[in-house]
Amino acid sequence: MPLSSQAEAGDEQYVLIASLDNVRNISNILKAIQFKDHATFLATSNGIKVTVEDSKCLQANAFIQADIFQEFIIKEDSVMFRVNMTVLLDCLSIFGSSAVPGMTTALRMCYSGYGFPLTLFLEEGGVVTVCKIKTQEPEETLDFDFCSTNVVNKVILQSDSLREAFSELDMTSEVMQITMSPDKPFFRLSTFGNSGSTHCDYPKDSDMMEIFQCTQTQTNRYKISLLKPSTKALALSCKVSVRTDNRGFLSLQYMIRNDDGQICFVEYYCCPDEEMAEEEP
Amino acid sequence: MKCVVAGSNVKVLGKAVHSLSRIGDELYFEPVESGLALRTVNLSRSAYACFLFNPLFFQQYDAEAPKEDSQFRCKIAMKSVQTIFKSLSTLEKTVEKCRIDLNLERSRLVFQLLCKYGITKTHKLSFQECESLQAVFAKEECVAILKAQPKLLVDTVMNFPATLEEVNVTVTGERVLFRNHLEEEQDITKLMVTEMSLAADEFDHFEAQEDISITFCLKELRGLLSFAESSGLPINIYFNDPGRPVIFSLDDPVLEVNFVLATLSDEDTRPHEHTVSGAKKRCPPQADTANSTFLSDDIDAYMIEMETTGLEEKQELPADMPSCSTERGTHHALDCFQENSGSDTESEEDIPGTPPQKKFRSLFFGSVLSPASRGPDQTLLNQEVLAEASDEDEAPK
């Protein structure tokens, strides 16, 4: 769609206006789900949900609640559009991505509706940059049908402990195996690489374990290549909830505290690996 | 075998692995009565390193071999060991104990890190049984012996660019000069030459019977220096004429470290002095291009590695590792020699096409002793140990 057809509109024509004093509060959380180029934005009166998907097997959602924004106006029940994530993040960090103390970039994000570009007004130190990003046809996002009533096992961990395990992942292993069980080993992450296997065990009474609700022993494998992107979210988060449902689907929810102490959530859903090879003890 | 490393010693072990990983791709793991030896050698066999941890280093140490008749030794992929000790700050902050166990039924060497908050990390590594890796060197015979605090050498080496491959050390009179090694074809006008001069009294010990100038790879030395710096142990340096190895060693009641690095032979200036070097003669294809760099291959002559596949059924490496299969081929070749030597009756196993074992051995030792003993088996030696240029990171063998 040529730019000329995405016409400019006045303030009253915008269906969505969201303003924020510190752009890092959303750019950080968007980086946590940046593993594919395109993201679907769905705005409702509660806030904005940004969805990125890969291979129909992995879905990441970032929830930016309305109260994260200093101004949040939505004139329709829901507004949906798709943008290039790389371009969006480049624009958001147009004044530089490193945090300079006492210097923040303010953002006003406006959208006039279907067919219009997403307009970003970025201001830092009296300098205003206007970025217009072409929007794309929104695509249907996957419904993982991950329902809390079907959750079999759930643990909530301090992210620190999991971060370490993920940073040392044996990338020669194709899969990561997650074992959750009411009995030993309780919560175990395993990899099976070229030079042997690695297990990382978390006892249920560990100080790192906030909640341990495992009802039955479950062992599922997930492609490491799919889980790897979630380490971005893990790095930013303070707590993580790991849940599996009766089909073996994995939900990872990350609690992320932004610069202003507000809390946002990023969620990853991942399908289990179908082939369950014979288990290595 | 079984051992437990506790507290801050886990970090020392981790540091040692980091140092070793700068040299070789395989870690030779050898628990003996006198302690746990971790060794490695680089691909071109121009550098060898050994850490010997005394039993007192461990909270618990039991080197008992799983089978009574044989000593257990193995080699493991350096990468996988590195993964275990990847983050030194994590080791320091969270790891309370490290247990190393041998699980013979599953042929796995098990490293278990017991961390804070009850978290345990278990690494089960596959291994290959092998013979001991030894370098032949004699510190006593060295004509120059220096002893320095790690900081002195760290501060000196810090001045060289990180890309510098070789450094030249000259001992003359009461001074030690460190400078970049310049290759003949390098255009001096485009190079920065750094030279540092240290007075003898900066060293804790300074003993040089004659003026000597040696050149060796800096990369391996950096590994040792970072370990020495963190442990605060003084570094002893032993060296001889150019072309003969330089030995860096650290001594501690619970730890002994030796790094043996090849030095460039100095044939242009002192053609007759250097009896050991046979590299030019041994590898004619290289001889034409042989600038002195290639001669660092000389360390071949000092290295002895004996490997065997007599215990091949123990090897349980995944079949999809290409490097294994090629290595096995090598082992077979060596195995013949090993078996021949094992039984004193040499004629028992006469494998066609393979020279008698004794000659093979004498080739190794012989090249250390005298070049004259090198007989018609030169090609064999070339095949087995001849390595590529020492200053490049090679593809896996």
Side-chain angles (χ1 to χ4, degrees):
Chain A
M1 194 183 298
L3 188 63
S4 54
S5 69
Q6 296 200 341
E8 215 175 316
D11 229 22
E12 60 284 349
Q13 281 163 289
Y14 292 128
V15 294
L16 174 72
I17 302 169
S19 312
L20 163 98
D21 289 342
N22 185 358
V23 74
R24 281 169 52 83
N25 287 348
I26 76 158
S27 59
N28 271 347
I29 200 163
L30 291 179
K31 276 182 203 151
I33 57 164
Q34 186 202 10
F35 55 92
K36 281 278 161 187
D37 267 351
H38 296 282
T40 306
F41 281 65
L42 175 69
T44 63
S45 55
N46 291 325
I48 302 176
K49 181 175 100 167
V50 187
T51 306
V52 180
E53 290 177 350
D54 185 16
S55 317
K56 302 269 183 216
C57 293
L58 178 72
Q59 182 183 70
N61 294 301
F63 300 94
I64 309 161
Q65 300 95 296
D67 55 11
I68 298 285
F69 299 96
Q70 275 73 48
E71 183 191 17
F72 190 82
I73 300 164
I74 182 162
K75 291 178 184 154
E76 290 171 11
D77 286 347
S78 73
V79 175
M80 198 170 173
F81 57 89
R82 203 166 100 112
V83 290
N84 184 311
M85 190 73 150
T86 318
V87 173
L88 175 65
L89 279 166
D90 281 349
C91 291
L92 292 179
S93 56
I94 206 154
F95 287 109
S97 53
S98 56
V100 183
M103 210 46 161
T104 54
T105 307
L107 165 75
R108 183 176 163 89
M109 185 165 77
C110 305
Y111 180 61
S112 303
Y114 183 79
F116 286 90
L118 177 70
T119 311
L120 307 173
F121 299 91
L122 291 141
E123 186 267 340
E124 184 175 311
V127 181
V128 179
T129 306
V130 184
C131 306
K132 286 181 187 166
I133 305 171
K134 286 184 200 174
T135 53
Q136 300 161 333
E137 202 73 43
E139 270 180 15
E140 195 75 25
T141 55
L142 295 173
D143 180 7
F144 274 73
D145 193 25
F146 195 96
C147 179
S148 56
T149 51
N150 292 334
V151 167
V152 177
N153 295 313
K154 172 182 177 179
V155 298
I156 295 182
L157 288 158
Q158 301 270 353
S159 297
D160 285 339
S161 58
L162 210 56
R163 209 154 26 224
E164 210 180 282
F166 268 80
S167 70
E168 290 166 12
L169 274 187
D170 179 1
M171 292 309 287
T172 63
S173 172
E174 205 168 283
V175 293
M176 174 152 102
Q177 180 174 296
I178 301 182
T179 305
M180 291 164 106
S181 164
D183 311 302
K184 254 189 149 177
F186 306 116
F187 180 63
R188 164 176 280 189
L189 306 174
S190 315
T191 53
F192 308 93
N194 285 345
S195 55
S197 61
T198 302
H199 305 293
C200 193
D201 296 348
Y202 297 78
K204 67 172 177 181
D205 52 2
S206 166
D207 287 347
M208 286 287 145
M209 190 77 78
E210 299 232 327
I211 290 178
F212 183 87
Q213 290 168 355
C214 292
T215 55
Q216 66 181 68
T217 304
Q218 232 186 351
T219 301
N220 291 300
R221 292 184 169 196
Y222 306 91
K223 285 238 179 318
I224 276 208
S225 55
L226 291 176
L227 290 183
K228 192 72 188 164
S230 71
T231 49
K232 285 185 178 179
L234 183 63
L236 294 168
S237 67
C238 47
K239 283 179 199 179
V240 53
S241 148
V242 183
R243 296 181 300 164
T244 51
D245 73 0
N246 51 357
R247 302 163 302 165
F249 279 58
L250 176 71
S251 148
L252 296 167
Q253 287 176 328
Y254 298 95
M255 190 171 110
I256 297 174
R257 205 181 291 275
N258 68 19
D259 290 357
D260 298 339
Q262 296 159 311
I263 285 176
C264 294
F265 288 93
V266 166
E267 179 176 57
Y268 274 83
Y269 290 118
C270 186
C271 298
D273 209 25
E274 284 278 10
E275 299 157 55
M276 179 82 176
E278 70 265 51
E279 209 176 311
E280 189 178 352
Chain B
M1 82 129 259
K2 180 185 179 131
C3 57
V4 179
V5 186
S8 57
N9 280 0
V10 179
K11 198 185 168 193
V12 176
L13 184 65
K15 281 246 172 201
V17 169
H18 280 244
S19 285
L20 288 163
S21 69
R22 297 241 196 162
I23 296 182
D25 294 337
E26 281 168 330
L27 181 70
Y28 289 75
F29 183 95
E30 186 176 344
V32 286
E33 279 303 313
S34 58
L36 175 67
L38 301 180
R39 304 190 171 104
T40 194
V41 63
N42 69 351
L43 271 178
S44 55
R45 311 244 154 162
S46 62
Y48 160 91
C50 171
F51 284 77
L52 180 67
F53 296 97
N54 189 284
L56 291 172
F57 176 83
F58 301 89
Q59 193 181 52
Q60 186 193 339
Y61 183 80
D62 176 11
E64 199 180 311
K67 285 167 291 173
E68 281 169 18
D69 53 334
S70 72
Q71 173 66 48
F72 173 77
R73 294 184 195 96
C74 68
K75 56 180 180 180
I76 35 188
M78 188 66 84
K79 269 205 178 113
S80 45
V81 194
Q82 250 182 302
T83 320
I84 304 172
F85 300 104
K86 195 171 179 181
S87 157
L88 290 174
S89 63
T90 312
L91 284 184
E92 196 171 24
K93 270 187 283 175
T94 68
V95 180
E96 287 167 347
K97 262 182 204 178
C98 170
R99 299 156 60 116
I100 307 172
D101 268 303
L102 174 68
N103 183 338
L104 259 195
E105 288 104 78
R106 302 202 175 280
S107 291
R108 288 285 185 272
L109 195 60
V110 182
F111 287 78
Q112 194 166 46
L113 300 180
L114 308 174
C115 311
K116 275 188 187 156
Y117 311 113
I119 299 167
T120 52
K121 294 178 191 166
T122 314
H123 300 262
K124 299 178 181 172
L125 306 185
S126 50
F127 59 82
Q128 273 181 296
E129 288 199 28
C130 64
E131 285 301 321
S132 186
L133 174 76
Q134 292 282 0
V136 178
F137 57 90
K139 294 178 192 170
E140 313 79 49
E141 289 171 14
C142 291
V143 294
I145 301 172
L146 307 177
K147 183 177 185 180
Q149 291 302 314
K151 191 170 185 309
L152 180 69
L153 295 181
V154 169
D155 289 350
T156 307
V157 164
M158 207 172 60
N159 294 295
F160 293 107
T163 51
L164 180 68
E165 288 186 358
E166 284 121 10
V167 67
N168 174 273
V169 176
T170 304
V171 180
T172 161
E174 291 293 289
R175 305 201 73 78
V176 182
L177 295 173
F178 285 79
R179 63 177 159 236
N180 317 26
H181 169 68
L182 301 176
E183 305 212 354
E184 275 166 32
E185 72 267 28
Q186 279 176 320
D187 184 358
I188 319 174
T189 56
K190 288 177 186 157
L191 280 176
M192 183 178 71
V193 180
T194 310
E195 182 170 314
M196 245 114 4
S197 168
L198 304 178
D201 58 10
E202 296 204 56
F203 291 84
D204 298 358
H205 180 83
F206 185 95
E207 180 188 330
Q209 292 159 17
E210 52 186 277
D211 290 0
I212 301 173
S213 175
I214 56 164
T215 303
F216 52 87
C217 276
L218 195 53
K219 182 183 147 203
E220 286 87 10
L221 177 62
R222 288 184 201 267
L224 175 85
L225 288 181
S226 70
F227 182 87
E229 196 183 18
S230 69
S231 60
L233 294 174
I235 301 166
N236 298 292
I237 311 165
Y238 304 85
F239 55 101
N240 253 318
D241 308 328
R244 305 194 56 191
V246 54
I247 302 141
F248 293 86
S249 77
L250 310 178
D251 274 308
D252 185 82
V254 296
L255 174 69
E256 188 190 326
V257 185
N258 283 305
F259 274 54
V260 184
L261 310 181
T263 61
L264 295 188
S265 61
D266 195 9
E267 293 205 326
D268 299 333
T269 49
R270 299 189 228 175
H272 302 296
E273 207 169 297
H274 181 63
T275 52
V276 179
S277 159
K280 272 191 175 171
K281 283 153 247 157
R282 267 192 283 133
C283 32
Q286 285 183 4
D288 299 330
T289 55
N291 53 50
S292 47
T293 319
F294 283 114
L295 295 179
S296 59
D297 281 355
D298 268 5
I299 192 76
D300 285 356
Y302 303 99
M303 306 301 308
I304 296 176
E305 185 194 16
M306 292 162 288
E307 298 177 81
T308 174
T309 45
L311 305 149
E312 215 170 72
E313 66 275 5
K314 292 284 171 232
Q315 301 177 350
E316 283 211 359
L317 280 161
D320 56 341
M321 279 178 71
S323 59
C324 288
S325 53
T326 52
E327 272 190 21
R328 270 189 200 183
T330 323
H331 291 181
H332 272 302
L334 283 168
D335 195 21
C336 307
F337 305 124
Q338 293 291 331
E339 278 176 1
N340 274 355
S341 77
S343 54
D344 278 333
T345 49
E346 282 183 13
S347 55
E348 264 182 15
E349 292 186 48
D350 213 51
I351 294 147
T354 51
Q357 188 276 336
K358 275 189 176 164
K359 265 200 178 142
F360 180 75
R361 268 214 178 147
S362 68
L363 267 176
F364 275 116
F365 288 113
S367 53
V368 182
L369 302 169
S370 80
S373 68
R374 261 182 238 123
D377 301 314
Q378 287 173 353
T379 46
L380 177 81
L381 181 64
N382 281 345
Q383 280 164 5
E384 288 306 325
V385 292
L386 177 70
E388 302 76 356
S390 63
D391 46 0
E392 281 171 44
D393 283 337
E394 311 288 340
K397 17 178 172 171

